[in-house]
């Protein structure tokens, strides 16, 4: 058996999220359909670095699967992209060691969230950014972002529906907010993320930007560990899984095992 790692991109607009679901179109489902065709009807199970919700996009999601086929990497890529729909694309294929795991070996994930800050609705952006018509103080939002960097318990910024058990402590290496013209870009890099965490944080940042909260409130919200203190989760279409990183040690193991 060989283990194959793929980096994929998808437009989440017409997917019911990543995770496979009965009678629904999902990223996982489309990938496994393609794998089944390549393997002449045999079901091949795949693992991903994580799941994304309905409407959420991905620039560089990572998956892996085990296969009895010994196919060159470029041929794998060509076979996938011939079979996959236009809103899902395999960018990179790499043979890796048997010990590699797309989910458990992740050391850092990066998400980005885009807000289109204009009064008039733009029909061409509505599936790719959250259209927010109110005036925002970006400097206050940037200050608020700084309080989220480092190691914290993010219970307040996690969905009450989350099934994750155990610690809700996570480390964020970068939380930033930049405005270019009418577009506001939030960047989040961290060791891991809780369910809906990025979308709840963005909602809190927009509260700060409107003057409903001050930047210092973010520290207090972290301490209080209560999701009910914050408003609704912002919509999914502004969210992108931007990148997934693995340790050099894991990558070195992959290279040496394939020589």
């Amino acid at each position: 058996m060989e283990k194959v790692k793929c980096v994929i991109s998808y437009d989440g607009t017409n997917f019911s999220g990543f995770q496979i679901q009965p009678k629904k179109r999902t990223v996982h489902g489309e990938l496994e359909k393609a794998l089944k065709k390549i393997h002449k009807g045999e079901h091949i199970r795949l693992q991903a670095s994580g799941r994304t919700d309905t409407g959420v996009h991905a620039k560089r999601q990572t998956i892996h699967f085990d296969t009895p086929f010994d196919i060159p990497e470029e041929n794998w890529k060509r076979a996938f992209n011939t079979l996959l729909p236009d809103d899902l694309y395999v960018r990179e294929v790499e043979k890796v060691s048997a010990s590699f795991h797309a989910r458990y070996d992740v050391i850092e994930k990066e998400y980005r969230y885009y807000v289109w800050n204009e009064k008039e609705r733009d029909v061409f952006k509505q599936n790719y950014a959250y259209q927010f018509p109110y005036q925002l103080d970006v400097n206050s939002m940037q200050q608020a972002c700084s309080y989220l960097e480092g190691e914290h318990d993010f219970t307040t910024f996690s969905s009450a529906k989350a099934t994750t058990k155990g610690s809700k402590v996570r480390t964020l290496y970068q939380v930033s907010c930049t405005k270019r013209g009418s577009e506001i870009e939030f960047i989040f890099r961290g060791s891991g993320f809780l369910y809906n965490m990025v979308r709840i944080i963005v909602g809190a940042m927009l509260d700060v930007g409107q003057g409903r909260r001050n930047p210092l409130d973010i520290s207090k919200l972290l301490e209080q560990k209560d999701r009910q203190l914050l408003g609704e989760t912002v919509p999914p279409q502004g969210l992108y899984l931007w990148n997934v990183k693995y340790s050099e040690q894991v990558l070195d193991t992959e290279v040496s095992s394939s020589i």
Side-chain angles (χ1 to χ4, degrees):
M1 295 289 280
E2 288 202 309
K3 183 166 282 190
V4 178
K5 168 178 170 270
C6 301
V7 176
I8 63 171
S9 297
Y10 47 88
D11 176 341
T13 305
N14 295 315
F15 285 109
S16 297
F18 184 90
Q19 188 182 6
I20 205 158
Q21 299 174 60
K23 298 180 182 176
K24 289 196 175 178
R25 183 176 187 262
T26 66
V27 178
H28 190 154
E30 292 294 332
L31 288 164
E32 286 202 347
K33 250 197 287 186
L35 279 169
K36 197 170 185 178
K37 284 183 183 175
I38 294 168
H39 290 83
K40 299 176 174 59
E42 184 186 348
H43 175 71
I44 300 293
R45 191 171 171 223
L46 65 85
Q47 298 283 344
S49 70
R51 302 165 183 169
T52 52
D53 284 343
T54 301
V56 176
H57 314 291
K59 280 272 191 182
R60 293 181 65 83
Q61 166 73 289
T62 303
I63 64 162
H64 83 252
F65 59 89
D66 293 308
T67 176
F69 289 0
D70 181 11
I71 299 173
E73 291 157 348
E74 272 304 309
N75 292 8
W76 270 117
K77 182 176 176 178
R78 193 178 304 112
F80 265 123
N81 291 323
T82 300
L83 295 167
L84 290 172
D86 290 344
D87 50 0
L88 171 56
Y89 184 72
V90 173
R91 297 170 63 128
E92 298 169 17
V93 177
E94 181 183 0
K95 293 178 184 179
V96 293
S97 72
S99 62
F100 174 82
H101 198 287
R103 180 180 171 193
Y104 300 125
D105 288 337
V106 173
I107 59 164
E108 181 186 304
K109 280 187 181 177
E110 179 177 334
Y111 285 92
R112 297 192 184 191
Y113 193 95
Y114 290 92
V115 173
W116 187 248
N117 191 207
E118 280 284 353
K119 287 183 181 177
E120 297 296 326
R121 190 162 61 92
D122 185 335
V123 296
F124 300 107
K125 292 190 181 293
Q126 62 188 353
N127 292 326
Y128 306 105
Y130 176 28
Q131 307 213 347
F132 195 79
Y134 308 106
Q135 192 169 342
L136 293 167
D137 180 342
V138 177
N139 288 334
S140 291
M141 292 196 295
Q142 288 169 338
Q143 189 182 338
C145 284
S146 67
Y147 293 109
L148 292 163
E149 291 182 344
E151 185 180 84
H152 304 284
D153 185 316
F154 283 94
T155 300
T156 301
F157 298 91
S158 171
S159 170
K161 299 174 187 173
T163 54
T164 307
K165 293 175 182 176
S167 173
K168 293 192 176 177
V169 173
R170 298 291 186 275
T171 302
L172 296 187
Y173 310 122
Q174 177 188 356
V175 183
S176 65
C177 168
T178 308
K179 187 171 186 185
R180 300 180 192 88
S182 299
E183 183 181 81
I184 297 171
E185 178 188 60
F186 292 92
I187 298 177
F188 302 87
R189 290 192 306 106
S191 61
F193 292 83
L194 301 167
Y195 183 54
N196 280 351
M197 181 171 149
V198 169
R199 290 164 59 191
I200 294 167
I201 289 174
V202 170
M205 294 297 113
L206 295 175
D207 283 346
V208 170
Q210 291 178 89
R212 293 182 177 184
R213 297 183 181 278
N214 69 61
L216 276 170
D217 287 346
I218 299 301
S219 291
K220 295 171 190 170
L221 287 163
L222 285 165
E223 288 168 13
Q224 288 170 297
K225 300 174 190 173
D226 184 357
R227 170 67 183 93
Q228 294 184 343
L229 296 172
L230 288 170
E232 291 183 12
T233 304
V234 295
Q237 70 270 17
L239 183 60
Y240 296 73
L241 173 54
W242 203 261
N243 198 17
V244 183
K245 287 188 179 177
Y246 298 91
S247 72
E248 290 300 322
Q249 189 177 359
V250 169
L251 297 173
D252 287 345
T253 304
E254 292 160 18
V255 172
S256 61
S257 67
S258 62
I259 294 172

